[in-house]
Amino acid sequence: MRMFAAALAASTCLLGSAHAAETIKIGVPVGLSGANSTVAPSVVQASELAVDEINAKGGVLGKKLELVVVDDASGAAGAQKAFDALVFQNEVNAVVAMETSAARNAALPIVQRGKVPYIYTSFYEGASCNPYLFANGWVPQQQVPPIVNFFMDEKKAKKFFLIGSDYAFGRGMLAFARKAIEEKGGTVVGEEYLPIDGTDWTPVLSKLKASGAEALVTSTSGGAPNVTLTKQLRSSGIDLPYGNLAVDEGTARSMGADAAGIYLSASYVTGIDSPANKAYLEAMKAKFGDNLVTPNDLSTPQYEGILAYAAAVEKAGTTDARPVLEALKTVSVDGPRGTITMSKQHHAPLTMYLAQVQADGSVKVIQSFADVDPGDQCPKLN
């Protein structure tokens, strides 16, 4: 990972040397270090493919797109530095980024001060509302019900234990999960958190063992905490239906045998049977070959987010922020996940998939739910 980050830092310096008038700059702050370092390479690859495809067709408004990738260290302090550099030093035209909620929250005042459109491509806990922010990933209203309903209806689970990372995403997702469980007649018999960089889950797992829980739902920071928690869970011998609200397909594959049996709910899995997804996977393989990192529910929205920004600029006829923000409310992207339009209070209806990780690392779709509404996220934004 250090080699990847070093090479990327070098390439970023070269990318930043072009004159702003000659290109349209897209900032990509991402956790090359920290909790998101497991998924960051796939996000960068998806960004590169999107830009290559757009530039091969002549760019946008006669200009080439240019990526400026920086490390946000997966947290608030790193995001402040990364966004300040992108917005006020590199003078990017937009930010398209998958980040932790802590990083996003720290970055929002910066993009608003700099008047830069920000397409947030990560799944998250919902209700982040800002005139400059558009989100194309899932929110709890779309992601949690498939898992809770399946565990209660099919697995007959009534007692749940919740485990998360102690920050906005972890607590926000599990608050919604608790509500969904209780509204359906279940109970939460335990709820425990570790700091976002915590690695020793032993005390939490001891409480889980003693709780009498019939199902487990987790919501850690994406990437490294998922790996450590799952590894320790498997070593403990605990065998419960396990729903993970933060795992993506790429991270699941990196876990190896430990991931087998995990249930996940996602807006993207590689097994989506559509011409658009097959073309996307073929293009990714053609570009990156043996270096390809598994496309997933964090990287694919990044690809589509860049396509959405390009479409908005074309529709607006300018890179000026205000017309582009208006256009982002109306443009649609036909991508690997289907047709995505961020029209619902700066969020998007999404088709969701309930799936389970198999022994070979593949993800098997169990159920699908078309055009799931994100609900009221930002009612003051129209």
Side-chain angles (χ1 to χ4, degrees), residues 61-324:
L61 303 181
K63 297 182 179 181
K64 298 292 186 181
L65 297 187
E66 171 191 347
L67 289 177
V68 185
V69 182
V70 295
D71 183 13
D72 70 10
S74 302
Q80 289 175 330
K81 294 177 182 178
F83 273 75
D84 188 73
L86 288 169
V87 172
F88 297 111
Q89 297 175 33
N90 287 281
E91 297 182 340
V92 297
N93 299 101
V95 173
V96 183
M98 167 268 144
E99 298 175 285
T100 64
S101 292
R104 180 199 68 246
N105 289 339
L108 280 172
I110 298 172
V111 296
Q112 185 157 6
R113 189 167 72 248
K115 297 181 171 59
V116 172
Y118 177 17
I119 300 178
Y120 184 56
T121 62
S122 178
F123 49 70
Y124 84 112
E125 72 281 358
S128 185
C129 305
N130 186 287
Y132 290 87
L133 177 71
F134 283 78
N136 73 350
W138 54 249
V139 291
Q141 288 87 339
Q142 296 165 308
Q143 196 249 5
V144 172
I147 289 179
V148 169
N149 292 343
F150 184 79
F151 281 3
M152 296 188 75
D153 295 340
E154 302 297 327
K155 300 296 182 180
K156 306 305 178 184
K158 293 293 185 182
K159 298 177 181 179
F160 286 74
F161 200 96
L162 310 180
I163 299 176
S165 291
D166 191 7
Y167 77 121
F169 176 76
R171 287 192 175 273
M173 292 299 298
L174 293 185
F176 191 91
R178 173 184 282 272
K179 180 181 177 182
I181 290 164
E182 292 175 347
E183 285 181 348
K184 198 170 170 63
T187 59
V188 174
V189 296
E191 183 172 349
E192 296 291 330
Y193 296 88
L194 282 191
I196 193 170
D197 58 353
T199 58
D200 184 8
W201 298 93
T202 306
V204 173
L205 295 176
S206 295
K207 292 180 181 180
L208 169 59
K209 280 185 176 181
S211 69
E214 298 166 335
L216 170 65
V217 176
T218 68
S219 183
T220 63
S221 174
N226 262 323
V227 177
T228 58
L229 172 56
T230 302
K231 185 177 183 62
Q232 291 169 39
L233 175 70
R234 298 313 191 198
S235 297
S236 73
I238 296 171
D239 185 18
L240 294 173
Y242 171 18
N244 191 315
L245 303 181
V247 72
D248 64 279
E249 188 171 348
T251 301
R253 284 184 180 273
S254 75
M255 293 180 189
D258 289 334
I262 290 177
Y263 289 90
L264 57 91
S265 178
S267 67
Y268 178 78
V269 293
T270 54
I272 293 175
D273 187 12
S274 70
N277 185 46
K278 290 176 181 177
Y280 169 66
L281 293 175
E282 289 171 0
M284 290 291 286
K285 181 63 176 177
K287 179 170 177 60
F288 297 105
D290 292 340
N291 294 320
L292 175 64
V293 184
T294 303
N296 54 73
D297 207 19
L298 290 166
S299 67
T300 302
Q302 178 75 14
Y303 169 83
E304 294 168 341
I306 291 175
L307 298 186
Y309 174 69
V313 171
E314 284 284 3
K315 182 170 184 176
T318 177
T319 57
D320 291 348
R322 185 56 55 191
V324 170

Side-chain angles (χ1 to χ4, degrees), residues 325-380:
L325 291 169
E326 288 299 315
L328 280 171
K329 300 175 184 178
T330 62
V331 296
S332 296
V333 171
D334 293 321
R337 294 186 296 165
T339 301
I340 310 296
T341 309
M342 295 177 288
S343 58
K344 181 67 183 289
Q345 301 168 9
H346 291 205
H347 288 71
L350 299 169
T351 294
M352 299 298 297
Y353 301 89
L354 175 67
Q356 186 178 34
V357 182
Q358 305 298 293
D360 63 357
S362 64
V363 173
K364 179 183 178 181
V365 174
I366 299 172
Q367 298 173 348
S368 62
F369 308 86
D371 299 323
V372 181
D373 193 286
D376 277 340
Q377 297 297 322
C378 302
K380 294 183 179 179

